[in-house]
Amino acid sequence: MSRAPGSSGEKTLKAIYEAGIDLIYQYGYEAVSLRQLAGAVGIQAGSLYNHIASKQDLLFKLIHSIVLELNEQLDAELENIDDPEEAMRAFVRYHITWYTARKQQVFIGNMELRSLKAENYTKIVALRRRYEMRLKDILDRGIAEKHWSMPDSSVSARALIAMLSGVCVWYDPEGGYSIEELVSIYTEIVFKGLGKPA
Amino acid sequence: MSRAPGSSGEKTLKAIYEAGIDLIYQYGYEAVSLRQLAGAVGIQAGSLYNHIASKQDLLFKLIHSIVLELNEQLDAELENIDDPEEAMRAFVRYHITWYTARKQQVFIGNMELRSLKAENYTKIVALRRRYEMRLKDILDRGIAEKHWSMPDSSVSARALIAMLSGVCVWYDPEGGYSIEELVSIYTEIVFKGLGKPA
Amino acid sequence: MSRAPGSSGEKTLKAIYEAGIDLIYQYGYEAVSLRQLAGAVGIQAGSLYNHIASKQDLLFKLIHSIVLELNEQLDAELENIDDPEEAMRAFVRYHITWYTARKQQVFIGNMELRSLKAENYTKIVALRRRYEMRLKDILDRGIAEKHWSMPDSSVSARALIAMLSGVCVWYDPEGGYSIEELVSIYTEIVFKGLGKPA
Amino acid sequence: MSRAPGSSGEKTLKAIYEAGIDLIYQYGYEAVSLRQLAGAVGIQAGSLYNHIASKQDLLFKLIHSIVLELNEQLDAELENIDDPEEAMRAFVRYHITWYTARKQQVFIGNMELRSLKAENYTKIVALRRRYEMRLKDILDRGIAEKHWSMPDSSVSARALIAMLSGVCVWYDPEGGYSIEELVSIYTEIVFKGLGKPA
DNA sequence: CATGAATGAGCCTTCATTCAT
DNA sequence: CATGAATGAAGGCTCATTCAT
């Protein structure tokens, strides 16, 4: 009897992705060898090529799926929210939650961009820009509807994302702050920055 | 061959540091080869070893001198300032100015930490913590003397630094905002966050 | 490229050992490069690492297998011999035969010891000592049972081995003396030294 | 005032020779770097070239002076001895004494021959052959005058030298045997081998 | 004489990748 | 699909040697 289609191969591929994220997060894309990766998966280096086209291809697929998911889940989160204030709260909560929950993926998605070859780099940057745009939209709507005071919504969108992203650099699950507390703190800071104390 | 006329140890070392920063910023520590670096300096790869002990040693010295200078110049900047509000303004201005002026160094100092071997990593992290402490001091004094409202001065110090640091990721000298404008914008955001509109 | 058709791990490893012995005998361990060795085997330098862990590892395995075989075959040779005189004759014949037949291995086994790192050196020296002990046993039994006159059986064992080993330094298959003649000559010298003319 | 001629330079050269013998004995010619040697002498690697022409030149001069001295002192030792038996005793004593006293030099003189380039190798081998000839002469005269029984004086000369040389491989000044005792033991063995118990 | 900085070749080793089995 | 053995390029580093200072 032949193997159930996609069963074993799929599992191996998933294992490769997971080990890839772990290793690249810890050592960096350039510093991780395919032998190391294969070892973590429990196969030989050559066997990786039954699942990935190349090392670069692996990195791209990894980052792509990360950024894609970040966008898709954000869309879902904001889907039925019209009020800019509510949207902003949702965004802050979503961003911090996602970023701290996926520390490794976030790190890779930010720091390994330069290891992508030009063609792949372009695709990822487009997706990231799309994410920024969602926040800029919220800001623009808040300025129009709620009289938020913002020097410039483009700059501010980036500044807010940079600030919110900073959390995941130093967030420690055992560190005395729950995600909820962090969300509270940052929401407060954000709305103070918008001239509308939460 | 012998020494090229006019060459000197100090000059070569400086050239190595400069080319090192350029290349590591652009391609990452792991991705830069010593042959590449030597080529940029105009010497043979082996000749690098008259000036550095190893590739790792170069990275460490690079990052160390960056973080050291960041600290020392901050100390100088804050030396005679007692008022927390003035100190905060000085800190924001200093941080943004330094970070945008030394975009490359900042990038390396943050992103290549993981390429440091444990022993070197520890030393750098200590220096970075010292920098954070300077800001925490300002916050604590502001809370005490000026009734700033801050959920937690440790968390806030990191959050502020993360926010301010984000600037240098997207700052573009030709991008429509002068440093002075950025300093203004961020100072405003910060003081709003402290409950004391600038 | 992929594997050359018909190649196999075992065969390649054997070829590496054989070329390794040839080259190290001729030029010395330090003077032989892995490129040279790989060239003699007909593969690329890097491919050696599919079969050995390092250059040092190759040397160790080479010497280890030599000294191990020397011991094992001696054990087989002496297995059923109780009479010390017969045992001594067997030892002399065995030692000279083995040493002249394996001139290269003997040379490497003696002269490249210092190229072994401490840990490997220790293991080899233990095996060599074991070989000496076999001769010392024969001497002790000869002294007890046959009234051989020996100043000191430990010193004498080493002296005899040194003397017998000297043969292989200058032995030349085309040089006028057959192995049988050498064995005769040395057996005679040995027994004269024992006070028991052969 | 100018430096006394030959004073400082001579001293440095002597230091180079001494450090050279130490290091080559310990690690082997190929394994010793000129930097290491220079370090042991207390100068920079480049400065060595004020005293030696090349690394190979150093090795040759080292070995040459060793073999030359071995010959010259033997000549002095045997100068006024006509009786072959006395000469043999003198040879055994001299060889063992010299070989154990100059363990390092002996080792280098034997084991680093292969690191000499062809031209230098030839010169050294000629000197070594001369030394063997002195012993063969003694043997021939003993056979003629004293009825020593020797299968072949050429083979025996080499066998004796190999045997006597073996001493220095395992001789240990703290090892329980004085040089005098070793000389006694080996003289006894030799004369027994000659059919003339001492 | 000694130094320090340079060269260019070479070393051991690792790597991503390929493919017969 | 997985393996194991191969490739060819490249990597970090050391070396003997040279020579302006």
Side-chain angles (χ1 to χ4, degrees):
Chain A
M1 198 180 58
S2 74
R3 190 166 33 213
S7 99
S8 160
E10 292 280 312
K11 267 203 299 207
T12 304
L13 183 58
K14 212 181 154 201
I16 291 172
Y17 281 163
E18 278 165 13
I21 286 174
D22 271 6
L23 289 170
I24 294 174
Y25 172 70
Q26 200 172 350
Y27 304 108
Y29 172 76
E30 293 279 358
V32 171
S33 80
L34 290 189
R35 272 168 182 75
Q36 214 180 331
L37 175 60
V41 173
I43 58 179
Q44 294 300 115
S47 307
L48 287 173
Y49 287 83
N50 290 316
H51 306 278
I52 62 172
S54 67
K55 198 189 175 191
Q56 169 71 207
D57 172 63
L58 171 63
L59 178 63
F60 173 65
K61 288 201 172 126
L62 238 37
I63 296 183
H64 189 256
S65 76
I66 291 168
V67 188
L68 204 60
E69 192 183 316
L70 179 67
N71 270 291
E72 285 174 352
Q73 295 187 1
L74 176 68
D75 289 354
E77 212 68 49
L78 298 179
E79 201 172 13
N80 295 314
I81 305 179
D82 284 333
D83 181 52
E85 196 174 310
E86 240 184 285
M88 177 60 83
R89 285 181 200 284
F91 185 92
V92 170
R93 170 178 307 278
Y94 173 73
H95 189 91
I96 288 180
T97 307
W98 209 93
Y99 264 50
T100 49
R102 312 278 189 111
K103 208 172 163 176
Q104 295 183 327
Q105 280 90 340
V106 166
F107 197 80
I108 293 172
N110 285 326
M111 303 189 76
E112 297 296 358
L113 287 187
R114 74 179 151 188
S115 295
L116 290 171
K117 66 181 191 191
E119 169 195 343
N120 290 334
Y121 179 81
T122 309
K123 292 180 196 157
I124 299 299
V125 165
L127 278 173
R128 287 166 62 96
R129 196 149 295 157
R130 191 181 170 288
Y131 186 74
E132 273 173 36
M133 283 303 132
R134 298 302 308 254
L135 179 56
K136 182 179 179 302
D137 281 354
I138 297 173
L139 285 174
D140 285 338
R141 279 159 44 215
I143 290 165
E145 300 174 23
K146 305 276 180 170
H147 309 295
W148 292 349
S149 81
M150 272 283 113
D152 176 292
S153 69
S154 273
V155 173
S156 296
R158 281 182 189 137
L160 284 174
I161 287 177
M163 182 184 72
L164 296 176
S165 300
V167 181
C168 84
V169 174
W170 50 264
Y171 171 70
D172 171 9
E174 320 288 332
Y177 285 89
S178 71
I179 296 291
E180 281 310 309
E181 283 170 318
L182 288 174
V183 169
S184 280
I185 291 170
Y186 275 89
T187 302
E188 189 179 352
I189 293 175
V190 165
F191 278 100
K192 273 189 185 159
L194 298 172
K196 297 278 163 178
Chain B
M1 229 219 298
S2 79
R3 174 164 33 172
S7 80
S8 109
E10 285 297 311
K11 272 204 303 207
T12 304
L13 183 58
K14 215 181 151 199
I16 290 172
Y17 280 165
E18 279 164 12
I21 286 174
D22 271 7
L23 289 169
I24 293 175
Y25 173 70
Q26 201 172 350
Y27 303 108
Y29 171 76
E30 293 279 356
V32 171
S33 81
L34 290 189
R35 275 168 179 80
Q36 209 180 336
L37 175 60
V41 173
I43 58 177
Q44 294 297 116
S47 304
L48 289 172
Y49 287 82
N50 288 319
H51 306 279
I52 61 172
S54 66
K55 197 189 176 191
Q56 167 73 206
D57 172 61
L58 172 62
L59 179 63
F60 173 65
K61 286 198 174 129
L62 239 36
I63 296 184
H64 189 256
S65 75
I66 291 169
V67 188
L68 204 62
E69 194 184 312
L70 178 66
N71 270 291
E72 284 174 352
Q73 295 187 359
L74 175 67
D75 289 352
E77 212 68 49
L78 297 180
E79 200 170 14
N80 294 313
I81 305 181
D82 284 332
D83 181 53
E85 196 174 310
E86 242 184 284
M88 178 60 83
R89 285 181 199 283
F91 184 93
V92 171
R93 169 178 307 280
Y94 173 74
H95 189 90
I96 289 181
T97 307
W98 209 94
Y99 264 50
T100 49
R102 312 277 190 115
K103 207 172 163 176
Q104 295 183 328
Q105 280 91 338
V106 167
F107 195 80
I108 294 174
N110 284 326
M111 302 190 73
E112 297 297 0
L113 285 187
R114 76 177 149 188
S115 295
L116 290 171
K117 65 179 189 194
E119 170 195 342
N120 290 334
Y121 179 81
T122 308
K123 291 182 196 156
I124 298 300
V125 164
L127 278 173
R128 287 167 61 98
R129 199 149 291 159
R130 190 181 171 288
Y131 187 74
E132 275 173 34
M133 283 302 131
R134 297 302 308 253
L135 178 56
K136 181 180 179 302
D137 281 353
I138 296 173
L139 286 173
D140 285 337
R141 279 159 43 213
I143 291 166
E145 300 173 25
K146 305 275 181 173
H147 309 297
W148 291 349
S149 80
M150 271 285 113
D152 176 293
S153 69
S154 272
V155 173
S156 297
R158 281 182 190 138
L160 284 174
I161 287 177
M163 182 183 72
L164 297 176
S165 301
V167 181
C168 86
V169 173
W170 49 265
Y171 170 70
D172 172 10
E174 319 289 333
Y177 286 88
S178 70
I179 296 291
E180 280 310 309
E181 284 170 318
L182 288 174
V183 169
S184 280
I185 292 170
Y186 275 89
T187 302
E188 190 179 350
I189 294 175
V190 166
F191 277 101
K192 274 188 186 160
L194 298 173
K196 298 278 164 175
Chain C
M1 231 221 297
S2 79
R3 174 165 33 175
S7 79
S8 108
E10 286 297 311
K11 271 203 306 208
T12 304
L13 183 58
K14 215 182 150 199
I16 291 172
Y17 280 165
E18 278 163 13
I21 286 174
D22 271 7
L23 289 170
I24 294 175
Y25 172 71
Q26 201 172 351
Y27 304 107
Y29 171 77
E30 292 280 356
V32 171
S33 81
L34 290 189
R35 276 170 181 77
Q36 212 180 334
L37 175 61
V41 173
I43 57 178
Q44 295 297 115
S47 304
L48 289 172
Y49 287 80
N50 288 319
H51 306 279
I52 61 173
S54 66
K55 198 189 176 191
Q56 167 73 206
D57 172 61
L58 172 63
L59 179 63
F60 173 66
K61 286 199 174 129
L62 239 36
I63 296 184
H64 189 256
S65 76
I66 291 169
V67 187
L68 205 62
E69 192 184 313
L70 179 66
N71 270 291
E72 285 175 352
Q73 294 188 0
L74 175 68
D75 288 352
E77 212 68 49
L78 297 179
E79 199 171 12
N80 295 313
I81 305 181
D82 284 333
D83 181 53
E85 196 175 311
E86 240 184 286
M88 179 59 84
R89 285 181 200 284
F91 185 93
V92 171
R93 170 179 307 280
Y94 173 74
H95 188 91
I96 289 181
T97 306
W98 210 93
Y99 265 50
T100 50
R102 312 277 190 113
K103 207 172 163 176
Q104 295 182 329
Q105 281 90 339
V106 167
F107 195 79
I108 293 173
N110 285 326
M111 302 189 75
E112 297 296 0
L113 286 188
R114 78 177 147 187
S115 294
L116 290 171
K117 65 180 188 193
E119 171 194 341
N120 290 335
Y121 180 81
T122 308
K123 291 181 196 156
I124 298 299
V125 163
L127 278 174
R128 288 167 61 97
R129 198 150 291 159
R130 191 181 170 286
Y131 187 74
E132 275 173 34
M133 283 301 130
R134 297 302 308 252
L135 179 56
K136 181 178 180 301
D137 282 352
I138 298 173
L139 286 174
D140 285 337
R141 279 159 43 213
I143 290 166
E145 299 173 26
K146 305 275 180 170
H147 308 295
W148 292 349
S149 80
M150 273 283 114
D152 176 292
S153 69
S154 271
V155 175
S156 297
R158 281 183 190 136
L160 285 173
I161 287 177
M163 184 183 72
L164 297 175
S165 299
V167 182
C168 85
V169 174
W170 49 264
Y171 170 70
D172 173 7
E174 319 290 331
Y177 285 88
S178 71
I179 296 291
E180 281 311 309
E181 284 170 318
L182 287 175
V183 169
S184 280
I185 291 170
Y186 274 89
T187 303
E188 190 180 351
I189 294 175
V190 166
F191 277 101
K192 273 190 186 159
L194 298 172
K196 298 278 162 174
Chain D
M1 198 179 59
S2 73
R3 190 166 35 213
S7 100
S8 161
E10 292 280 313
K11 268 204 297 210
T12 305
L13 183 59
K14 213 181 152 199
I16 291 172
Y17 281 164
E18 279 165 12
I21 285 173
D22 271 7
L23 289 170
I24 294 174
Y25 172 71
Q26 200 172 351
Y27 303 108
Y29 171 76
E30 293 280 356
V32 170
S33 79
L34 290 189
R35 271 168 181 75
Q36 213 179 333
L37 176 60
V41 173
I43 58 178
Q44 295 300 114
S47 307
L48 287 173
Y49 287 82
N50 290 317
H51 306 279
I52 62 173
S54 68
K55 198 188 175 191
Q56 168 71 207
D57 172 62
L58 171 64
L59 179 63
F60 173 66
K61 287 200 172 126
L62 239 36
I63 296 184
H64 188 257
S65 76
I66 291 168
V67 189
L68 204 61
E69 192 183 314
L70 179 67
N71 270 289
E72 283 174 352
Q73 294 187 0
L74 175 67
D75 289 353
E77 211 69 46
L78 297 179
E79 202 172 11
N80 295 314
I81 305 180
D82 284 334
D83 181 52
E85 196 173 311
E86 240 183 287
M88 179 58 84
R89 285 181 200 283
F91 185 92
V92 170
R93 170 178 307 278
Y94 173 74
H95 189 90
I96 289 181
T97 307
W98 209 94
Y99 264 50
T100 50
R102 312 278 189 110
K103 209 172 162 176
Q104 296 183 326
Q105 281 89 340
V106 166
F107 196 79
I108 293 173
N110 285 326
M111 302 190 76
E112 296 297 359
L113 287 187
R114 75 180 150 185
S115 293
L116 290 171
K117 65 181 189 191
E119 169 195 342
N120 290 334
Y121 179 80
T122 309
K123 292 182 195 156
I124 298 299
V125 164
L127 278 173
R128 287 166 62 96
R129 197 149 294 157
R130 191 181 170 287
Y131 186 74
E132 273 173 36
M133 284 301 130
R134 298 301 309 255
L135 179 56
K136 182 180 180 301
D137 281 353
I138 296 173
L139 285 174
D140 286 337
R141 277 160 43 216
I143 290 166
E145 299 172 24
K146 304 277 181 168
H147 309 295
W148 291 349
S149 82
M150 272 285 113
D152 176 293
S153 69
S154 272
V155 174
S156 297
R158 282 182 189 137
L160 284 174
I161 287 177
M163 183 184 71
L164 297 176
S165 300
V167 181
C168 83
V169 174
W170 49 264
Y171 171 69
D172 172 8
E174 320 289 330
Y177 286 88
S178 71
I179 296 292
E180 280 312 307
E181 285 169 318
L182 288 174
V183 169
S184 280
I185 291 170
Y186 275 89
T187 303
E188 190 180 349
I189 294 175
V190 166
F191 276 102
K192 273 190 186 159
L194 298 172
K196 298 278 162 175

